Amino acid sequence: MDHKKEDKNICINCEERLTDIHNLHNLTKEEQELLNRPKRVLTVSIPVRMDDGEVKVFNGYRVQYNNALGPTKGGIRYHEDVDLEEVKVLAFLMSLKTALAGIPFGGAKGGIEVNPDELSKGELERLTRGFVKEIYKFIGPHLDIPAPDVNTNAQIMAWFVDEYSDIVGEFTPGVVTGKPLILGGSEGRELATSLGGAFVLKRFVENFGDKKENLSVAIQGFGNVGMNIAKILDDWGYKVVAVSNSRGGIFDQNGINIKDLIEKMADTRDFPSGFGKEISNDDLLLLDVDVLIPAALSNQITKDNADEIKAKIILEMANAPITKEADQILEKNNVEVIPDILANAGGVIVSYLEWVQNSENYYWKEKEVNEKLKEIIESAFDKVMNLRKEKDLNNIRNASYILAVNRILEAERLRGTLG
Ligand code: GLU
């Protein structure tokens, strides 16, 4: 890695992605300079008293990438592979995601380098409260609003609200989203990422797909997002033939009984027997299916396996599951990729709706939330597809990037940051 650039607060991977946009769209030097580095980066160390009495110190990060369109917004992940450069890229992608969705937020991301499976509930709570103590001055309903991401959930957001409210001296539910319903969460938030992805896929298939019915689907990742999109697509008549996670997976050419499987996996991440052939997380990616849905971690489709992908459509429900080199191979092979910043925007869209409800202190029914989500995400999808047609762009990712970057730059110009 180029440490000089890292020291200068450049986001190396963001810079590479921006070069692609620049090649298509001619960004000025000023615009590139503004966009290839985060606005603010926080690196903190969090001392936690463990159950055995020892103190362990964890590394935490919060990157607030761009705030031209409003307070920064984005999840916090707990994972042993979290590092600053990755958090920067994910914060950059959040800035594009909120801009593309047309919601009044900038983009951020945070993370703690930890394997949460190794912590007790008490340790996890103390770690979360410790993180809030380190970053509270830089977050708030009109400043930066965290949310769940990989390995974080509504309980962790509840501790977040409690700690922040204690520090500032008043109940402040709008400081995070993805909260439990009883503490100011929104109906529909738990399902939102998956439902948003399903709306986008359906619209794509109906308007642009060669085959419209009985599409076969393989899903990598069976956490909140993977499980719920499996359930929704199964309900809508798609044939989910394979699902997997880091511990294993299942494949049945005739379609898996998703409802029974989800019931059996309520308290475990191990796949039960009797639902189909065993399959690994890696093999799932190469199945001959109509739709492939990576819904786990980043960098799953790389230059080493991209050429072997047989799916015709990839719906990126994870953030950044396809590397840049792999993207080029997929494009050459005519695989349509619906990019993360569009496909998984449902989560942050309903986070926005949660934040609005917190501001008004008035709460909507699930039907109302889902209708608004559908309207917002379909409108973003239509804008992307129109721009792709208008500019004759090779892929949906570039069209999405251009739309998002244009919105951010317009706000920067109006605010006077750019000339
Ligand atoms: N972590 C989710 C994402 O990557 C949701 C972020 C949010 O709701 O702020 O989009």
Side-chain angles (χ1 to χ4, degrees), residues 89-347:
V89 176
L90 293 168
F92 168 75
L93 291 175
M94 277 311 303
S95 309
L96 300 183
K97 198 185 296 184
T98 52
L100 185 65
I103 57 178
F105 288 139
K109 192 70 122 200
I112 301 180
E113 200 185 325
V114 59
N115 177 356
D117 286 346
E118 288 171 3
L119 301 192
S120 68
K121 196 170 176 201
E123 290 167 343
L124 199 61
E125 176 176 349
R126 294 196 289 283
L127 175 68
T128 303
R129 292 184 186 276
F131 189 41
V132 180
K133 285 194 182 87
E134 300 304 331
I135 67 168
Y136 77 92
K137 284 187 185 148
F138 304 97
I139 59 173
H142 299 285
L143 190 56
D144 179 28
I145 308 131
D149 197 79
V150 175
N151 293 337
T152 48
N153 55 24
Q155 171 63 76
I156 290 176
M157 296 305 115
W159 291 325
F160 227 98
V161 169
D162 186 66
E163 188 67 30
Y164 183 84
S165 300
D166 273 357
I167 295 172
V168 300
E170 57 185 33
F171 184 53
T172 315
V175 67
V176 289
T177 56
K179 299 177 290 293
L181 275 182
I182 199 161
L183 288 175
S186 175
E187 294 285 354
R189 177 63 185 84
E190 201 72 20
L191 276 188
T193 310
S194 307
L195 186 60
F199 283 142
V200 168
L201 177 64
K202 186 163 184 276
R203 204 159 177 94
F204 180 81
V205 167
E206 282 172 2
N207 293 301
F208 303 95
D210 301 330
K211 181 179 165 196
K212 302 203 191 308
E213 264 155 48
N214 209 21
L215 268 73
S216 58
V217 182
I219 304 171
Q220 187 203 48
F222 212 51
N224 175 30
V225 175
M227 209 181 254
N228 283 321
I229 199 163
K231 189 166 170 290
I232 295 165
L233 293 179
D234 181 58
D235 282 351
W236 289 3
Y238 291 73
K239 193 166 71 174
V240 180
V241 298
V243 293
S244 69
N245 64 19
S246 56
R247 304 211 187 165
I250 291 172
F251 170 54
D252 182 349
Q253 191 90 53
N254 300 315
I256 297 170
N257 186 334
I258 293 293
K259 274 186 201 78
D260 281 4
L261 179 65
I262 291 178
E263 227 164 77
K264 281 244 162 63
M265 289 183 72
D267 305 310
T268 173
R269 293 201 337 244
D270 291 318
F271 285 99
S273 57
F275 280 85
K277 272 192 290 183
E278 275 179 34
I279 189 170
S280 75
N281 233 351
D282 290 340
D283 293 340
L284 176 137
L285 297 174
L286 309 181
L287 289 174
D288 189 1
V289 287
D290 297 306
V291 185
L292 173 62
I293 305 186
L297 288 171
S298 306
N299 302 329
Q300 297 300 300
I301 303 177
T302 66
K303 63 175 179 351
D304 300 325
N305 61 3
D307 229 356
E308 293 169 74
I309 302 272
K310 294 168 204 78
K312 286 134 215 106
I313 303 169
I314 301 182
L315 184 74
E316 284 190 323
M317 293 306 290
N319 286 312
I322 302 179
T323 65
K324 201 166 130 50
E325 292 117 323
D327 231 1
Q328 283 157 0
I329 299 171
L330 294 170
E331 189 187 314
K332 190 187 78 211
N333 294 347
N334 294 321
V335 181
E336 285 279 23
V337 176
I338 308 180
D340 45 11
I341 61 167
L342 180 60
N344 72 27

Side-chain angles (χ1 to χ4, degrees), residues 64-106:
Q64 297 165 351
Y65 203 93
N66 185 284
N67 61 0
L69 291 163
T72 48
K73 184 84 194 83
I76 292 190
R77 56 175 59 185
Y78 288 1
H79 198 276
E80 55 207 337
D81 296 335
V82 161
D83 72 57
L84 182 57
E85 172 64 20
E86 185 199 43
V87 179
K88 282 183 186 172
V89 176
L90 293 168
F92 168 75
L93 291 175
M94 277 311 303
S95 309
L96 300 183
K97 198 185 296 184
T98 52
L100 185 65
I103 57 178
F105 288 139

